[in-house]
Amino acid sequence: KAGVTQTPRYLIKTRGQQVTLSCSPISGHRSVSWYQQTPGQGLQFLFEYFSETQRNKGNFPGRFSGRQFSNSRSEMNVSTLELGDSALYLCASSLRGDTGELFFGEGSRLTVL
Amino acid sequence: AQKITQTQPGMFVQEKEAVTLDCTYDTSDQSYGLFWYKQPSSGEMIFLIYQGSYDEQNATEGRYSLNFQKARKSANLVISASQLGDSAMYFCAMREKYGNKLVFGAGTILRVKS
């Protein structure tokens, strides 16, 4: 059974650019959530999608957005990149979304220059 | 607001010995979930164990067990027979009542000595 797949694994962007990250959940999982990990702030929740609807949103500016497709794959987008957006972005999937295990992918490591 | 506290920034353990990583939580909800994850230097967040607030028995997964003390609001991770490959960062996390928003602790770095 394939795990959570995130692409790309590594990327480098410059300030002002925008970036799109992709997450394919475990087959059958309908909930996808996104987290940002930085040395200073630790792990912070970005947003969660369940059956193509955003169900939860963290305290991030509007430059951070996401969506989920009918096959449960999700993308997150960061526009007008800032140096502080450099982070490991982790995606997690869950079968239902309010109980049971939550599995993470390997992450996408973004560097903003 | 929910909060997770991991008071041990770093821990050392001898290979083959058991180790306990501490986690306390704060919530006013009656229904919640508690998780432990392992993050090696590669960055992947590896699921270790899950405990629901209404689960009467402590969760176990192989060498991992969760010592759940609801009244004390603690959810310590016990790793038995430590291995060199257990060296990593360990995070305790709590799921809020609805959805899949996890609140994470600051983490504990575990180093296993040979």
Side-chain angles (χ1 to χ4, degrees), chain A residues 9-10 31-33 35 37 43-45 48 55-59 88 90 93-107 109, chain B residues 31-33 35 37 39-50 52 61 89 91 94-106:
Chain A
R9 291 289 315 281
Y10 302 91
S31 167
V32 173
S33 47
Y35 294 81
Q37 185 177 25
L43 282 147
Q44 293 184 287
F45 172 79
E48 181 205 359
R55 184 159 66 172
N56 267 312
K57 191 176 188 307
N59 296 322
L88 178 67
L90 290 158
S93 83
S94 176
L95 183 62
R96 274 184 48 184
D98 57 3
T99 186
E101 296 98 340
L102 190 69
F103 299 96
F104 282 83
E106 293 181 304
R109 192 170 293 277
Chain B
S31 176
Y32 50 89
F35 299 78
Y37 290 92
Q39 188 176 44
S41 56
S42 61
E44 181 184 7
M45 197 73 87
I46 301 169
F47 168 80
L48 295 179
I49 199 165
Y50 166 79
E61 291 281 354
M89 177 75 90
F91 289 99
M94 177 167 57
R95 170 166 42 207
E96 292 189 347
K97 188 174 182 179
Y98 299 111
N100 268 325
K101 178 181 178 180
L102 295 187
V103 175
F104 283 86

Side-chain angles (χ1 to χ4, degrees), chain A residues 63-84:
Chain A
R63 299 185 297 107
F64 292 81
S65 63
R67 59 177 174 169
Q68 186 180 34
F69 302 96
S70 58
N71 61 358
S72 293
R73 189 178 71 87
S74 177
E75 289 181 347
M76 67 162 284
N77 183 277
V78 187
S79 63
T80 319
L81 284 166
E82 301 177 359
L83 295 179

Side-chain angles (χ1 to χ4, degrees), chain B residues 78-93:
Chain B
V78 180
I79 305 174
S80 63
S82 295
Q83 302 171 356
L84 295 178
D86 293 336
S87 293
M89 177 75 90
Y90 288 81
F91 289 99
C92 179

Side-chain angles (χ1 to χ4, degrees), chain B residues 48-51 57-67 78:
Chain B
L48 295 179
I49 199 165
Y50 166 79
Q51 178 89 40
Q57 292 197 330
N58 287 344
T60 60
E61 291 281 354
R63 295 187 299 113
Y64 305 106
S65 61
L66 197 153
N67 185 0
V78 180

